[in-house]
Amino acid sequence: MSLTASNETPGQTVPQPAAAPAAPLIEVRGLGVQRGGRWLVRGVDLAIRPGEIVTLIGPNGSGKSTTVRALLGILEPSAGEVIRRPGLNIGYVPQRLTIDWTMPLTVRRLMTLTGRHGAAEIRAALQEVGIEHLAEAPVQQLSGGEFQRALLARAIIRRPALLVLDEPVQGVDFAGEIALYQLIHDIRERLGCGILMISHDLHIVMGQTDTVVCLNGHVCCSGTPQVVTESPEYRALFGAQAASALAIYRHHHDHVHLEDGRVVRTADGGRVVPEHDHDHGSCGQDHDHGHSHGQGQGSGGDAG
Amino acid sequence: MLDDFFTRALIGGIGVALVAGPLGCFIVWRRMAYFGDTMAHSALLGVALAFLFDIHITLGVFAITATVAFALVLLQRQVALPTDALLGILSHSTLALGLVLVAFMAWLRIDLLSYLFGDLLAVSRFDIALIYGGGAAVLGILALIWRPLLAGTVSEELAAAEALHPERTRLAFMVLMAAVIAIAMKIVGILLITSLLVIPAATARRFAGGPERMALLAAGFGALAVALGLFGSLQFDTPSGPSVVVAALLLFLGGLLPLALNRSGGRRGGGREGAR
């Protein structure tokens, strides 16, 4: 288990895997940030290990961005400690970055904003996110999705050990969102980096994340998506939204695949046939809805 | 040839413009025009204090403008007033303080106008040495901090997260601004310094595809404005500092023309081209 909540209850823990997990890239213990006499967040424990996707969710003002900023060293924490692996190389995609028109900046120049990179590296990074044709375009003319991809390329060109994404799908339409999350997932596979992400898209988060941390001024609950969605704290916090996220999350389960490849729809989310069910909680990082529906036609599994 | 006052003025003015252009780009990008104005206005207080304590004027101006810059940074953190209000307070109160202080020093006979609007034609050999020595130092430091400063200009958070220490570079940039104001004051005067920082940079924006190119172009446009302004001043017997600023303005307006002509198709077309 990579993450512990300070108010952990026995029901929320996940069994320790047999192999010892890699040492965390970055870890915060008892993190608290106080501003103007008020605690924005308090008592946050979390760790990100190589190859792991950790997603922070929580209502507005729950301290998600504050936690990430403290973790990155942008904010000075008022309590607790941040332990970084020495020489940790971080790639960051900040929230709501707008580049003023007064700054002439092409996508190509954006790639070398915080470090020196050669033309071949730049081409490779842009290819990786699928916008190599936009290299000479001024960043102000990109669409929301293209800009987020450019920012992602800028972050991964550094070959970061830790990629931090603060709401990476902002200003992106729904279809673009899915593609972008898939891209982030692929980047993890290719770079083997740890990823810390803030997201509002509960349903997508649940599909693409190893660990979910639900924040509301403190860690409400955390663990695999399965554990979190079933925790009462999460349901109390997100209410109807949680229920709908769960419904979308589970809509992939409204059928089961029989041995011969036939698809059988089930009324109650497929949970009646556990041996054929996808267990999101445990299949973790290999999980990919697309592949599991490959043989069943009209699976309806692709959102969008 | 340095014997000729006009040649000295030309060389000194171009030297200032070459430094002011690149620095001015950051002032435009970071939306610090009013901030620069405030620092410049405080320069008169520096002049007065320099006379009071008998130190070199450039040094006095540098010390005061840097102090005002840091004071503003501290006030921004402590006081619950919007930045533009703070700037308004500092800008005019330091200018007023300077004027009052000068008036108090009854023994002092200084040509106030030459400080407010510059005295380009009284540039000495020492001034030229100061402009080129100080200017080279400013440009050298700017080149050294270029990448982190630019990254911090695009996003302080991004620069901080990727270990580029944006606060450090921002403070260094303010010191550079103070230095440029101190060495440029003689040329264009306290009230017009910001124009030499901002107008060439704004002119360059139209023609630049990247930040480095914009900085070079701004230096070029600034130098051109100085040359045109000085020749104009000689020709039409107009005050030199304001003539330089008017020349810069004319270049800026000239730069707008191609944009006005292409406005309908030009900008969008550029995007399509890139998207091909």
Side-chain angles (χ1 to χ4, degrees):
Chain A
M1 160 137 187
S2 59
L3 189 141
T4 49
S6 52
N7 55 347
E8 184 179 299
T9 59
Q12 291 173 4
T13 52
V14 168
Q16 196 80 21
L25 296 164
I26 197 164
E27 190 177 2
V28 296
R29 291 191 195 141
L31 177 83
V33 178
Q34 198 179 24
R35 286 291 176 275
R38 201 170 68 88
W39 287 96
L40 301 179
V41 284
R42 203 169 186 180
V44 176
D45 294 339
L46 91 111
I48 301 121
R49 289 167 210 283
E52 184 186 30
I53 298 186
V54 176
T55 304
L56 292 181
I57 59 172
N60 288 335
S62 60
K64 302 186 296 290
S65 286
T66 305
T67 302
V68 165
R69 287 192 188 119
L71 183 127
L72 287 171
I74 300 170
L75 283 181
E76 191 67 35
S78 321
E81 52 178 345
V82 179
I83 305 148
R84 286 181 181 218
R85 186 181 276 194
L88 178 67
N89 186 12
I90 294 178
Y92 179 43
V93 176
Q95 187 184 22
R96 269 193 289 281
L97 179 61
T98 49
I99 297 176
D100 200 274
W101 187 80
T102 55
M103 165 92 74
L105 201 65
T106 60
V107 171
R108 180 186 301 285
R109 183 64 184 81
L110 179 71
M111 294 303 116
T112 55
L113 192 64
T114 60
R116 208 179 281 275
H117 302 284
E121 272 181 282
I122 293 173
R123 204 176 314 119
L126 292 178
Q127 254 161 16
E128 218 158 337
V129 302
I131 55 164
E132 66 269 32
H133 57 291
L134 295 174
E136 306 307 329
V139 289
Q140 292 89 350
Q141 290 179 354
L142 302 181
S143 73
E146 288 165 350
F147 187 53
Q148 290 303 123
R149 279 169 189 264
L151 288 178
L152 199 55
R154 196 212 59 78
I156 63 173
I157 200 172
R158 301 166 54 82
R159 302 280 133 188
L162 175 66
L163 188 58
V164 180
L165 310 152
D166 193 343
E167 305 216 16
V169 299
Q170 271 179 89
V172 180
D173 60 38
F174 187 65
E177 264 183 39
I178 307 249
L180 209 51
Y181 277 118
Q182 187 58 49
L183 180 63
I184 291 165
H185 200 255
D186 293 348
I187 285 169
R188 188 267 302 266
E189 300 293 318
R190 258 175 282 168
L191 294 184
C193 57
I195 294 181
L196 174 66
M197 183 157 62
I198 293 180
S199 181
H200 276 315
D201 308 87
L202 291 180
H203 51 285
I204 302 175
V205 164
M206 295 305 171
Q208 299 272 4
T209 304
D210 304 315
T211 306
V212 176
V213 181
C214 180
L215 273 181
N216 191 20
H218 61 280
V219 177
C220 279
C221 52
S222 65
T224 61
Q226 177 87 11
V227 166
V228 168
T229 46
E230 283 173 3
S231 83
E233 290 91 347
Y234 168 81
R235 293 186 182 198
L237 201 56
F238 286 101
Q241 204 194 345
S244 79
L246 219 52
I248 297 168
Y249 172 57
R250 287 215 179 121
H251 90 281
H252 299 292
H253 298 258
D254 65 357
H255 57 276
V256 292
H257 302 273
L258 300 183
E259 244 76 69
D260 57 5
R262 279 182 299 143
V263 175
V264 174
R265 299 207 167 264
T266 54
D268 59 351
R271 300 183 71 78
V272 286
V273 200
E275 59 268 38
H276 290 293
D277 191 14
H278 312 299
D279 183 356
H280 285 78
S282 60
C283 68
Q285 57 191 65
D286 299 320
H287 186 79
D288 181 352
H289 292 302
H291 76 80
S292 50
H293 296 293
Q295 52 181 191
Q297 305 87 349
S299 66
D302 297 314
Chain B
M1 68 172 197
L2 287 179
D3 290 337
D4 177 28
F5 74 93
F6 185 77
T7 313
R8 283 200 305 271
L10 197 59
I11 291 174
I14 287 175
V16 166
L18 292 179
V19 183
L23 219 65
C25 288
F26 280 99
I27 291 176
V28 170
W29 296 332
R30 301 180 79 109
R31 299 164 178 261
M32 287 170 75
Y34 200 19
F35 188 91
D37 231 18
T38 304
M39 285 173 76
H41 283 182
S42 70
L44 192 67
L45 186 57
V47 172
L49 289 176
F51 278 112
L52 198 59
F53 296 109
D54 197 22
I55 54 173
H56 194 270
I57 289 181
T58 306
L59 199 64
V61 169
F62 174 70
I64 287 297
T65 47
T67 306
V68 164
F70 289 122
L72 190 86
V73 171
L74 288 181
L75 282 174
Q76 274 176 316
R77 287 192 200 146
Q78 306 289 329
V79 184
L81 265 181
T83 302
D84 62 335
L86 283 174
L87 286 170
I89 294 169
L90 274 178
S91 169
H92 300 114
S93 52
T94 49
L95 181 62
L97 260 176
L99 289 166
V100 167
L101 207 57
V102 168
F104 264 121
M105 292 187 282
W107 69 91
L108 193 64
R109 305 186 71 83
I110 61 170
D111 179 9
L112 208 53
L113 276 187
S114 79
Y115 288 104
L116 292 180
F117 296 106
D119 193 1
L120 199 46
L121 302 183
V123 177
S124 66
R125 282 160 187 268
F126 179 76
D127 289 330
I128 289 182
L130 194 69
I131 288 169
Y132 280 84
V138 167
L139 285 183
I141 295 170
L142 187 65
L144 277 180
I145 64 169
W146 184 272
R147 192 185 301 278
L149 186 62
L150 191 74
T153 301
V154 169
S155 166
E156 287 251 320
E157 284 206 353
L158 186 64
E162 297 184 358
L164 290 180
H165 307 290
E167 348 48 66
R168 249 189 259 167
T169 42
R170 192 180 53 216
L171 292 181
F173 176 67
M174 286 181 186
V175 172
L176 294 185
M177 262 175 84
V180 166
I181 287 169
I183 59 174
M185 185 183 67
K186 185 100 180 200
I187 307 294
V188 277
I190 289 164
L191 295 183
L192 298 177
I193 284 173
T194 324
S195 59
L196 208 53
L197 288 163
V198 170
I199 300 177
T203 310
R205 173 60 186 101
R206 310 271 172 213
F207 304 98
E212 290 77 16
R213 201 174 156 74
M214 179 163 154
L216 289 177
L217 282 173
F221 280 124
L224 190 59
V226 167
L228 289 175
L230 283 185
F231 281 113
S233 150
L234 204 61
Q235 185 73 34
F236 304 110
D237 194 22
T238 48
S240 55
S243 303
V244 167
V245 176
V246 168
L249 173 70
L250 290 177
L251 285 177
F252 173 74
L253 293 176
L256 288 179
L257 284 180
L259 184 82
L261 293 178
N262 304 338
R263 184 110 212 178
S264 48
R267 249 209 248 179
R268 287 199 77 83
R272 289 290 170 273
E273 245 171 67
R276 225 178 325 130

